[in-house]
């Protein structure tokens, strides 16, 4: 079996750091926030090149907090791509605002800037950096003057666009440390990144029951802090992130070469100016469901990101969309196929993935 992501290989590299870090936290019984979280926040802020990083309980919470702290809520509309993970739109609803979907471009599957549905109620756009490459943030900002651009950087740890890091371009960014992410914890976790002192103060209060002074709650907040033990894991992984991203890039290049022999497979492409970090290597094929079934049967852990675009999810039925509303996202949902890719994948494993993909394609032809 070749898994979609092999987290055990990563753990072997950081096991000693994690053991020592856990022992230190447990020895001090310092389980909530504390030094590890503060140090990780400083290190990630520096890595991204922003003034503030605030660790929270998940990427979904980070998105909600970004929207709320930006002052967006009831009566406001927030543009969200139809082709993304559900959390992007879920967070908008949780913040009390209304998501308005936009289609994706057919090549990179990122927000289609030419289709932005900007109206009188539009307060923000969430630029999702999908699969490891950044959405065209500068073009989005230019197309929607006066509208806040927020980043969903959950899939783009370490990515850059025209030399500028993911998480540093919008008013604020949300990111996730879900275990399979390029920077993943050993459970849930997330962070808000921002250059704004005011927004950072607001998120620090909101993540901690609505106040930073004990038993003083000027606002209705939540309990959404980055777990201290997770900060230990994340500090160990952050030190290795650049190297692991380089290994992902090398693996993506190898897939590009191997797949050049299969013209029926559409390979993913990095957009102009984008330094891709290959969170996912997502190809497009016809008869995708049958190809996937055959790959899984052959022990290849391929997967679909994502099989149902958001406008067709039951959770958003109240928005009244129908099949056909966002054709590029619907086509992507029918054709995308993510192949196993992780920093420690070997040439032999990739050769086998491509051989099994060839066999599956021959089988459905
Ligand atoms: C693009 C995107 N946004 C948001 C999230 C939500 O993050 P979490 O699972 O940490 O809540 C994820 C991943 O899970 C994601 O891939």
């Amino acid at each position: 079996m070749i898994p979609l992501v092999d987290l055990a290989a990563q753990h072997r590299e950081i096991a000693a750091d994690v053991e020592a870090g856990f022992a230190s936290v447990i020895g001090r019984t310092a389980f909530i926030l504390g030094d590890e979280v503060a140090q990780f926040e400083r290190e990630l802020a520096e890595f991204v090149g922003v003034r503030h990083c605030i660790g929270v309980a998940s990427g979904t919470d980070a998105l909600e907090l970004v929207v709320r702290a930006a002052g967006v809520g009831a009566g406001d509309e927030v543009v969200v791509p139809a082709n993304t993970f559900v959390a992007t739109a879920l967070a908008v609803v949780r913040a009390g605002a209304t998501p308005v979907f936009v289609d994706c471009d057919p090549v990179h599957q990122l927000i289609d800037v030419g289709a932005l549905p900007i109206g009188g109620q539009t307060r923000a756009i969430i630029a999702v950096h999908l699969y490891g490459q950044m959405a065209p943030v500068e073009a989005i900002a230019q197309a929607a003057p006066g509208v806040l651009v927020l980043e969903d950087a959950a899939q783009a740890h370490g990515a850059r666009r025209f030399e500028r890091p993911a998480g540093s371009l919008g008013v604020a960014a949300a990111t996730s440390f879900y275990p399979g992410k390029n920077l993943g914890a050993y459970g849930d976790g997330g962070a808000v990144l921002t250059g704004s002192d005011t927004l950072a103060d607001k998120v620090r209060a909101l993540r901690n029951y609505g106040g930073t002074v004990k038993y003083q709650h000027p606002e209705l907040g939540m309990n959404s802090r980055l777990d201290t033990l997770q900060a230990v894991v994340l500090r160990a992984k952050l030190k290795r992130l650049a190297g692991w991203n380089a290994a992902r890039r090398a693996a993506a290049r190898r897939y590009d070469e191997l797949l050049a022999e299969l013209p029926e497979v559409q390979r993913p492409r990095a957009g102009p100016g984008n330094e891709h970090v290959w969170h996912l290597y997502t190809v497009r094929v016809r008869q995708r469901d049958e190809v996937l079934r055959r790959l899984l049967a052959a022990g290849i852990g391929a997967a679909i990101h994502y099989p149902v675009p958001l406008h067709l999810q039951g959770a958003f039925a109240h928005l009244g969309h129908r099949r056909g509303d966002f054709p590029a996202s619907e086509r992507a949902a029918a054709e995308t196929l993510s192949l196993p890719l992780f920093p420690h994948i070997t040439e032999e494993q990739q050769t086998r993935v491509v051989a099994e993909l060839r066999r599956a394609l021959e089988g459905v032809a």
Side-chain angles (χ1 to χ4, degrees), residues 42-364:
R42 267 197 301 279
E43 287 158 6
L44 187 61
E46 194 181 321
F47 181 84
V48 174
V50 290
R51 281 167 66 81
H52 305 281
C53 168
I54 304 107
V56 301
S58 72
T60 308
D61 280 3
L63 281 161
E64 177 184 342
L65 286 163
V66 160
V67 175
R68 285 178 65 179
V72 178
D76 296 330
E77 292 183 351
V78 179
V79 177
V80 172
N83 180 43
T84 179
F85 182 62
V86 68
T88 318
L90 197 54
V92 171
V93 177
R94 275 176 37 178
T98 305
V100 176
F101 295 122
V102 60
D103 210 353
C104 64
D105 82 79
V107 178
H108 307 104
Q109 292 160 227
L110 299 163
I111 282 186
D112 180 353
V113 181
L116 283 171
I118 306 298
Q121 306 301 112
T122 313
R123 285 290 314 287
I125 298 169
I126 304 186
V128 183
H129 306 323
L130 208 61
Y131 308 143
Q133 72 172 323
M134 291 174 67
V137 181
E138 69 298 331
I140 292 170
Q142 207 174 16
V147 176
L148 300 171
V149 179
L150 309 172
E151 294 175 75
D152 179 340
Q155 300 190 6
H157 296 285
R160 287 171 176 263
R161 182 167 176 83
F162 298 112
E163 305 299 325
R164 298 182 63 189
S168 71
L169 289 185
V171 175
T175 196
S176 162
F177 307 123
Y178 180 83
K181 298 289 191 252
N182 288 32
L183 180 61
Y186 286 178
D188 280 308
V192 171
L193 297 152
T194 182
S196 156
D197 296 350
T198 327
L199 205 141
D201 286 347
K202 184 125 180 141
V203 172
R204 275 187 212 287
L206 286 175
R207 78 165 170 183
N208 193 54
Y209 317 108
T212 47
V213 178
K214 208 163 190 181
Y215 305 127
Q216 303 294 319
H217 311 284
E219 297 195 68
L220 285 173
M222 40 210 265
N223 173 0
S224 182
R225 298 168 296 221
L226 178 64
D227 187 272
T228 310
L229 292 172
Q230 300 307 338
V232 168
V233 175
L234 291 166
R235 291 190 73 204
K237 284 197 174 179
L238 183 57
K239 290 195 192 105
R240 291 149 174 100
L241 180 62
W244 285 346
N245 280 344
R248 284 175 185 272
R249 266 194 288 281
R253 271 197 301 275
R254 197 180 295 139
Y255 268 142
D256 284 345
E257 286 162 18
L258 292 167
L259 289 169
E261 294 166 17
L262 300 179
E264 62 273 53
V265 175
Q266 193 182 316
R267 300 191 300 271
R269 278 193 242 160
N274 267 349
E275 196 175 306
H276 204 311
V277 290
W278 302 103
H279 172 58
L280 292 166
Y281 188 92
T282 297
V283 301
R284 293 177 65 154
V285 291
R286 287 181 201 281
Q287 293 190 263
R288 189 271 323 275
D289 290 344
E290 183 54 24
V291 171
L292 174 62
R293 203 188 60 69
R294 287 166 185 259
L295 284 175
L296 293 173
I300 306 297
I304 303 171
H305 300 92
Y306 294 93
V308 183
L310 296 193
H311 65 291
L312 300 179
Q313 294 281 1
F316 302 110
H318 60 284
L319 298 175
H321 284 294
R322 273 186 274 159
R323 192 165 288 282
D325 282 357
F326 300 107
S329 299
E330 290 169 30
R331 252 195 326 275
E335 295 177 358
T336 57
L337 181 69
S338 303
L339 302 180
L341 189 139
F342 43 89
H344 303 80
I345 196 167
T346 63
E347 186 168 351
E348 198 186 356
Q349 285 176 312
Q350 290 190 268
T351 305
R352 188 162 155 245
V353 170
V354 173
E356 293 297 350
L357 179 58
R358 178 198 298 271
R359 199 162 303 143
L361 289 164
E362 285 165 4
V364 299

Side-chain angles (χ1 to χ4, degrees), residues 21 24-25 28 30 33-41 228 231-232 235:
S24 167
V25 171
R28 287 175 285 124
L33 295 176
D35 281 355
E36 283 75 10
V37 173
Q39 280 165 348
F40 172 68
E41 289 175 339
T228 310
V232 168
R235 291 190 73 204

